[in-house]
Amino acid sequence: MHGTRILDEADRLMTVCNSCRYCEGLCAVFPAMEMRRAFSDGDLNYLANLCHSCGACYVDCQFSPPHEFNVNLPKTLAVARAESYAAYAWPQVLSGAFARNGLVISIVAALSMAAFILGFAALSDRGVLFGVHTGPGAFYKLMPHQAMAALFSAAFLYAILALIMSVRAFWRDIGTPIGGRADGVSIFQAIRDAGELRYLHGGGVGCYDEDDKPTDRRKLFHHLTFYGFLLCFAATSVATLYHYLLGREAPYPWWDLPVVLGTLGGIGLIVGPIGLFLAKMRRDPALLDESSYGMDVGFIAMLLLTGLTGMLLLILRETAAMGPLLALHLGAVFALFITMPYGKFVHGIYRFAALVRYAQERRTAA
Amino acid sequence: MGSKYDVLVIGGGNAALCAAISARRGGASVLVLEGAPKFYRGGNTRHTRNMRCAHDAATEILTGPYTEDEFWEDLLRVTSGQTDEVLARHMIRESKDILNWIVEQGVRWQPSLGGTLSLGRTNSFFLGGGRAMLNALYLTAERLGVDVVYDAEVTDLVIEDGMFLAARLKRPINGETEIRATSLVAAAGGFEANIEWLKQYWGEAADNFLIRGTPYNRGSILKMLLDKGVQEVGDPTQCHAVAIDARAPKFDGGIITRHDSVVFGIVVNKHAQRFYDEGEDIWPKRYAIWGRLVAAQPDQIAYIIFDSTVVNSFMPTLFPPIAGQTIAELAGKLALDPAALEKTITEFNAAVRPGTFDHTILDDCVTEGITPPKTHWARKIETPPYLAYPVRPGITFTYLGTRVTKEARMLMADGKPSANMFAAGEIMAGNVLGKGYAAGMGMTIGSVFGRIAGREAAKHARN
């Protein structure tokens, strides 16, 4: 017996799959399973986070429903995965956030923050809010750079701390049988596997979305989202360096590095999340974990909102709309930060940890 | 969907799809009638995993060469010579090309990985298994414009003087209850799921058989063809039968109900008596004989009995072993006579001679002075908990079929070839496999003769 009903079901399926093994060439889940004969809660959470939900094992399985063995691994592991996020969340009192409607939480957080910034600006000088500001330092008319930096650093550092604590708990639980620290080679391998979404390829033909015809659509939109996010993060980092090292203040001209990075990233963060959302809407319900729908859509919405407000800000920054747009953009980014440890964002962190563990296991077994 | 097709394919497995694709690539219009619903499409192909093909050199997926002669020797050995040499050698030659042809149809191979199967040299494994292979073939067939209808039960074949005219249907398709076609490819499998038919040869014992594949393999097309003058081939009592878990479902338990633990213990019948040398031979022969052995036991039930020392020596099993701290407790759970089981095990243990255990070779662990002996891998059963798997005969496929030529053309009872009827797959496997089996041969027969049948059927239709 396991901690939850879904883990009991995952255990049952692992027993079926381990006595079949036809899927062993499809992804990392099955070779990892074959290294075990019995499955602890940690093992099952590890396998659940190793699963990329490509759906190939469902379409290829002779025992998937309506067969009486009722083998639906993608859905079962999706539910187990969502539950594992809450199980390892830090601090534990906030683990309930995963279960609630992520979309509402994120939007409320974003709007609250935007309202706060607007209020902050309005209190100091009404004219500032709807004024037209151009040239270096224009953004800081709304809110002084130091206040902005302090606020966002605090939110960001908190997110990092909470994520580190959560993934530490996860890593400890999935650590058997080899335990110990992650090694460099395994981490490098995991970076490559995660970077190319190696296991979202259905064994080579693509991912199964709405039916049994595989496509590469989800992989493409995921890449756009992920690399869009990284580019935006890089843009912010470069801008921070510009500010402190070179003393150059935002906004920067369109051809400057932070803007170029942010523009490319912004396009990714608009096209990617929309594509992922449409793919989710079209996906075969048999493969979907409806219970985490709110969390998934909430995260997609926050990424889209971040990308959209950022791009609008770039286009309209020399108009009177700059003030409200900047407030909205900062609100979105702030909400993204503080909800990170309690929303779909963690899937990337846990999956990466699972990939490191898998690379390590393979090396130990070899 | 037209009213008349060039080629009608009846069946929906590997052979049927290879025939449909090859006929379509040959320029014919093709209709596939699959008797099962979509989920169960493909008959036994659903449960297969690999294909045995001759090849002259190692490849990315195969560890070494497997020559035509070696394939032929293996076939000769498993069938004890009950094979049509001309057809068999032709199939083996064609199998070399099938390895690549099947990939061109979208099927993917996987590098030989773990598991307990030591087939990396001779057999190629489908990535994702047999259903993945089927999915790829169906996608390709549909992309090429082959029409496929599921739940399409054929109730009669109109055949005159060895010439196929039409197939009658249980339910109309596009308003038609009769499908006419210029050529027919019958690729509708054997009759292993037809218990009534099995009883003709096995008697009431067939009620206790479990069928490893779908309940749709009822042999109705085979029966119609034989009734209408197609020459039969193969021994109707021959079937591929392995010992599978007695707790498995009646149909479609597939691969995961098998047991590979026989060599690690002993096997007793319902009277707690051993009845065959559990250490006779290495895999895969030991795997393929136990179905028939159990079928010959009272009530068609047997129990593999072993102890806790070997529990991790074989593949994990779907059903957990039944356990007892003492032999008597285990016997009670199996509804065997405790005294009889204790006596059997005590006598067996006393007969075990010391040796060096190695289950990968025919080792020197033997018994002395008991009947039947255990000639290899004999070790005492003495470490509780004692464990058991109940097993029954699990029927994979039957051997009775239609006689064909090298062109996959059916032969009529009078010895004349049919003008336009071809057969491929299990329905004609008996031409090549008179008895016995070696892993992956069913798929070889299906793909090779399916491709030939489709090509020849299209050629006939275009003439």
Side-chain angles (χ1 to χ4, degrees), chain A residues 51 88 101 132 145 180 203 210 216 229 274 278 280 289 319 347:
Chain A
C51 168
Y88 299 110
N101 191 329
V132 176
H145 181 267
E210 55 253 59
D216 271 333
F229 179 84
I274 291 174
L278 291 177
K280 185 174 279 295
D289 163 26
T319 74
H347 87 280

Side-chain angles (χ1 to χ4, degrees), chain A:
Chain A
M1 288 297 281
H2 291 279
T4 66
R5 267 180 52 220
I6 199 68
L7 292 182
D8 285 337
E9 173 65 0
D11 193 321
R12 181 185 79 84
L13 296 189
M14 286 297 101
T15 306
V16 175
C17 295
N18 221 354
S19 56
C20 175
R21 301 188 172 183
Y22 279 18
C23 282
E24 63 186 357
L26 289 183
C27 72
V29 171
F30 301 99
M33 167 194 79
E34 288 177 19
M35 294 178 198
R36 297 160 168 79
R37 282 205 170 221
F39 300 89
S40 68
D41 284 10
D43 289 332
L44 294 169
N45 285 330
Y46 161 52
L47 295 170
N49 281 283
L50 206 48
C51 168
H52 286 54
S53 224
C54 75
C57 62
Y58 178 82
V59 177
D60 290 350
C61 179
Q62 64 267 51
F63 305 119
S64 57
H67 195 283
E68 63 181 287
F69 290 157
N70 194 28
V71 174
N72 187 341
L73 207 57
K75 182 165 187 153
T76 304
L77 293 188
V79 178
R81 198 158 55 237
E83 290 191 2
S84 77
Y85 303 156
Y88 299 110
W90 182 92
Q92 263 295 299
V93 286
L94 291 178
S95 67
F98 288 98
R100 287 184 219 108
N101 191 329
L103 182 61
V104 172
I105 290 189
S106 312
I107 288 178
V108 166
L111 292 179
S112 312
M113 192 58 204
F116 173 74
I117 295 169
L118 286 172
F120 186 91
L123 268 182
S124 47
D125 180 0
R126 271 171 195 278
V128 166
L129 192 51
F130 295 106
V132 176
H133 313 280
T134 55
F139 290 157
Y140 312 123
K141 299 269 171 24
L142 200 70
M143 187 183 217
H145 181 267
Q146 276 184 337
M148 211 185 272
L151 200 59
F152 282 82
S153 304
F156 186 66
L157 289 176
Y158 173 76
I160 296 288
L161 173 71
L163 285 170
I164 287 174
M165 296 304 284
S166 306
V167 81
R168 214 169 128 233
F170 176 63
W171 182 260
R172 280 187 179 158
D173 212 20
I174 68 172
T176 52
I178 51 175
R181 282 170 187 279
D183 61 286
V185 180
S186 299
I187 291 173
F188 182 65
Q189 179 65 46
I191 289 172
R192 286 176 50 189
D193 292 344
E196 63 177 82
L197 288 176
R198 181 169 167 198
Y199 297 116
L200 195 68
H201 69 350
V205 290
C207 182
Y208 292 83
D209 286 340
E210 55 253 59
D211 55 22
D212 53 8
K213 293 177 182 60
T215 75
D216 271 333
R217 229 177 287 145
R218 270 178 78 212
K219 194 175 192 170
L220 172 71
F221 290 127
H222 192 286
H223 276 327
L224 283 169
T225 308
F226 176 66
Y227 289 104
F229 179 84
L230 284 190
L231 284 169
C232 289
F233 191 73
T236 310
S237 305
V238 172
T240 305
L241 293 179
Y242 270 23
H243 187 94
Y244 287 110
L245 292 184
L246 306 178
R248 293 180 53 189
E249 291 202 326
Y252 305 105
W254 65 268
W255 45 261
D256 212 346
L257 192 56
V259 185
V260 172
L261 290 172
T263 305
L264 292 175
I267 293 168
L269 272 188
I270 292 170
V271 181
I274 291 174
L276 284 176
F277 178 72
L278 291 177
K280 185 174 279 295
M281 298 297 287
R282 279 198 298 247
R283 197 155 202 227
D284 182 350
L287 297 170
L288 266 185
D289 163 26
E290 282 112 354
S291 57
S292 58
Y293 206 77
M295 173 178 73
D296 295 357
V297 174
F299 182 50
I300 289 174
M302 287 316 294
L303 290 172
L304 178 61
L305 195 62
T306 304
L308 210 55
T309 53
M311 289 303 283
L312 284 174
L313 185 61
L314 177 67
I315 296 164
L316 302 173
R317 65 186 181 186
E318 295 190 353
T319 74
M322 190 272 267
L325 276 174
L326 182 63
L328 207 54
H329 182 61
L330 293 175
V333 174
F334 185 82
L336 190 64
F337 280 171
I338 60 159
T339 57
M340 260 180 189
Y342 312 106
K344 184 62 184 273
F345 178 82
V346 298
H347 87 280
I349 308 286
Y350 286 15
R351 180 152 297 148
F352 181 74
L355 285 168
V356 174
R357 166 66 62 200
Y358 179 66
Q360 222 172 15
E361 278 189 341
R362 288 301 290 256
R363 278 158 39 78
T364 311

Side-chain angles (χ1 to χ4, degrees), chain A residues 15-16 19-22 24-25 37 58-64 66-69 202-205 212-213, chain B residues 38-39 46-49 108 110 113 127-128 131-132 135 139 249 252-253 255-256 258 311-312 314-316 318:
Chain A
T15 306
V16 175
S19 56
C20 175
R21 301 188 172 183
Y22 279 18
E24 63 186 357
R37 282 205 170 221
Y58 178 82
V59 177
D60 290 350
C61 179
Q62 64 267 51
F63 305 119
S64 57
H67 195 283
E68 63 181 287
F69 290 157
V205 290
D212 53 8
K213 293 177 182 60
Chain B
K38 186 175 179 186
F39 173 77
R46 275 167 55 69
H47 295 292
T48 60
R49 182 182 202 186
R108 291 161 298 141
Q110 75 170 30
L113 297 174
L127 185 67
R131 195 170 166 226
N135 291 342
L139 279 179
D252 214 53
I255 186 69
I256 63 178
R258 74 190 172 306
V311 78
N312 287 334
F314 43 84
M315 279 276 285
L318 174 65

